[in-house]
Amino acid sequence: MIFVVAEHKDNKLRPITSELLVFGQRVARDFGEPITAVILGSSTGDLAGELKTRKIDRVLRAEHAGLAEYNPDTYVQVLQSILNKDKPFLVLMGHTTQGMDFAPRLAVRLCGPLISGCVEYEKQGERLILTRQIFNAKMNMKTLVRGEPPYFATASPGAFPGDEVESGGNAEVIVFPVQLTGTPKRKILNRVEAPKGQTDLSSAPIIVSGGRGLKQKENFNLIFELAEAIGGSVGASRPVVDAEWLPREYQVGSSGQTVSPRLYIAVGISGAIQHLVGMQTSRCIVAINKDPEAPIFKVAHYGIVDDLFKVVPALTKIFKDLRQA
Ligand SMILES: Cc1cc2nc3c(=O)[nH]c(=O)nc-3n(C[C@H](O)[C@H](O)[C@H](O)COP(=O)(O)OP(=O)(O)OC[C@H]3O[C@@H](n4cnc5c(N)ncnc54)[C@H](O)[C@@H]3O)c2cc1C
């Protein structure tokens, strides 16, 4: 049995959930294992209804008032009792803030190996091999999973195409009886939302990012205008943040956010490795840079070699016109 631990926020499934389902469906096809999606929360009826339409075998709803807010202690306690009842082959979780928090604790409790930040997998004979990126994503490492299952893995956001999740299922939904014992050691004191007008970049489907090529803070309006015209969020390289043109939440890269949108437009960004590791798993990368040798073009799917002050307003106009048409 393959277990996929669904992530959700504000009564919506997060994009990583579909990506994990794709990962699970591919492994299931190769290893002939059924899939169970697990959802923890306090009123997850609608979300379980959405999950059951995916091509999976079962949805387990763990419902309890104490699961209304994510907490690693309650999550581990409930998942441990679920997994103890079945014989899991593989447990898939997101390599997200949440997954990175509870996955190691869960794997330790169930004495299984955890392969974190997976981007691919393969089957060699009957053996499961998981690929993860190491050294700031400069190298891939293949890990042969040994020993008896259960195996645990977290998947990097964007590594599996969530829009390829197979639907058309009618999985059975089972409510798992939750009993929480003890008081969680950790308490959520406060949830700090991203500043108004800015979405969480890690789940934004379209990002327009600007770099030092914009020359000065005032010119960043060009980026905001293009982002608005295509319905995207704004990101930035580190020098932009260091120069205080934008707050730290906007920074993409090794010391900022890791993003994996469907479309990433890099404007006046050279493509230093510290920036690339934060965005190179984006589905489609468009780079606008006047230097044809800029390293960003090595990861870009489309490149425009020209002056951004000419290209960006022209693109904004095209998208605005398209929206009005
Ligand atoms: C420990 C560490 C952590 C770091 N973490 C991060 C991080 O998280 N994120 C990050 O981004 N960086 C990070 N950096 C910094 C990183 O090394 C680079 O310095 C940085 O990414 C460069 O930003 P940039 O591309 O905006 O600027 P530059 O490298 O200066 O590039 C500007 C680009 O704009 C182009 N350009 C200029 N004018 C125009 C024009 N008119 N039209 C079109 N193109 C134009 C230039 O050709 C150039 O390619 C980190 C560095 C270290 C040491």
Side-chain angles (χ1 to χ4, degrees):
M1 175 78 72
I2 295 166
F3 282 84
V4 169
V5 183
E7 264 193 43
H8 56 98
K9 191 179 170 217
D10 300 333
N11 211 26
K12 282 197 190 110
L13 292 173
R14 304 197 82 169
I16 188 72
T17 303
S18 297
E19 296 168 22
L20 291 171
L21 287 169
V22 171
F23 189 0
Q25 285 173 338
R26 291 181 180 178
V27 179
R29 200 177 46 218
D30 282 353
F31 285 84
E33 293 277 349
I35 305 177
T36 293
V38 189
I39 183 154
L40 283 69
S42 64
S43 51
T44 55
D46 291 350
L47 301 184
E50 200 178 325
L51 286 170
K52 75 179 262 197
T53 64
R54 308 298 185 242
K55 218 170 145 203
I56 56 176
D57 300 272
R58 223 171 43 148
V59 179
L60 273 189
R61 261 179 82 191
E63 284 277 315
H64 194 284
L67 294 171
E69 286 276 8
Y70 165 76
N71 185 304
D73 299 332
T74 50
Y75 258 54
V76 169
Q77 195 184 120
V78 173
L79 286 168
Q80 189 179 2
S81 47
I82 289 174
L83 298 172
N84 274 337
K85 277 198 185 322
D86 284 286
K87 284 260 167 281
F89 165 63
L90 179 66
V91 182
L92 297 176
M93 297 152 285
H95 198 65
T96 53
T97 317
Q98 224 175 71
M100 283 191 268
D101 189 33
F102 76 83
R105 299 165 206 261
L106 184 64
V108 166
R109 288 272 185 97
L110 288 152
C111 299
L114 168 69
I115 317 301
S116 61
C118 297
V119 293
E120 200 37 278
Y121 90 94
E122 63 193 88
K123 187 185 180 204
Q124 269 186 16
E126 283 313 303
R127 303 184 313 174
L128 175 67
I129 298 192
L130 294 166
T131 304
R132 55 195 294 263
Q133 295 182 318
I134 54 169
F135 297 127
N136 265 345
K138 278 189 188 151
M139 291 172 83
N140 281 348
M141 183 173 89
K142 290 186 176 185
T143 306
L144 164 65
V145 191
R146 292 194 304 184
E148 286 299 307
Y151 308 134
F152 296 83
T154 60
S156 285
F160 294 88
D163 49 4
E164 288 179 17
V165 64
E166 288 182 62
S167 294
N170 188 14
E172 183 188 8
V173 179
I174 298 169
V175 177
F176 183 85
V178 175
Q179 282 183 335
L180 292 177
T181 52
T183 315
K185 291 196 191 102
R186 280 153 281 257
K187 262 196 212 155
I188 308 284
L189 298 179
N190 192 9
R191 252 172 78 165
V192 182
E193 295 298 332
K196 224 176 159 26
Q198 186 206 351
T199 56
D200 172 12
L201 283 187
S202 65
S203 58
I206 299 175
I207 298 175
V208 184
S209 254
R212 188 152 41 196
L214 279 134
K215 312 265 188 289
Q216 54 187 9
K217 183 177 178 178
E218 292 65 37
N219 294 337
F220 230 85
N221 282 343
L222 294 175
I223 302 295
F224 279 97
E225 281 162 15
L226 178 56
E228 198 188 332
I230 59 172
S233 304
V234 170
S237 66
R238 180 161 157 174
V240 168
V241 171
D242 287 347
E244 297 183 356
W245 298 355
L246 286 178
R248 185 70 53 195
E249 304 83 67
Y250 287 82
Q251 185 183 319
V252 173
S254 60
S255 50
Q257 296 202 57
T258 300
V259 300
S260 210
R262 286 204 310 272
L263 174 63
Y264 188 90
I265 306 183
V267 182
I269 292 178
S270 58
I273 184 66
Q274 294 88 354
H275 189 82
L276 298 187
V277 295
M279 45 63 76
Q280 65 189 357
T281 57
S282 305
R283 294 288 291 285
C284 177
I285 299 170
V286 178
I288 303 168
N289 198 305
K290 66 178 181 184
D291 174 8
E293 302 297 327
I296 190 77
F297 289 122
K298 292 204 178 111
V299 298
H301 302 94
Y302 299 95
I304 303 174
V305 181
D306 209 334
D307 185 346
L308 72 89
F309 294 100
K310 221 168 72 191
V311 176
V312 175
L315 277 180
T316 305
K317 183 173 180 323
I318 290 169
F319 285 116
K320 273 189 181 161
D321 291 349
L322 277 174
R323 283 199 146 187
Q324 277 158 14

